[in-house]
């Protein structure tokens, strides 16, 4: 949630506490397994490869967390 408040999209697992605040593909990426390194790496790679999408997702993350 701190990353989202800072305007950053997140990559986390569905079992993480803040996962309920993340909308997959909109404010970040969720994996089913917290130890799924390839899925986590894929989410990070997707964010790194597309600065415009990363910025849009970061803005959406910030907007989603503001009520909290």
């Amino acid at each position: 949630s701190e990353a989202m408040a800072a305007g950053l999209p997140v990559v986390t697992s569905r079992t993480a506490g803040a996962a309920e605040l993340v909308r997959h593909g909109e404010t970040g990426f969720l994996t089913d397994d917290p130890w799924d390194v390839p899925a986590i790496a894929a989410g990070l790679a997707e964010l790194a490869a597309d600065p415009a999408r990363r910025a849009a997702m970061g803005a959406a993350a910030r907007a989603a967390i503001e009520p909290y």
Side-chain angles (χ1 to χ4, degrees):
S1 60
E2 290 87 0
M4 293 174 72
L8 299 171
V10 297
V11 178
T12 190
S13 76
R14 294 182 193 281
T15 59
E20 62 192 31
L21 302 172
V22 179
R23 292 186 304 271
H24 184 76
E26 187 178 332
T27 62
F29 295 109
L30 295 169
T31 66
D32 290 326
D33 178 359
W35 299 106
D36 188 347
V37 174
I40 294 167
L44 292 172
E46 191 166 335
L47 292 171
D50 191 343
R53 183 165 188 212
R54 183 175 63 242
M57 289 176 74
R62 169 101 175 142
I65 202 72
E66 281 181 354
Y68 300 96

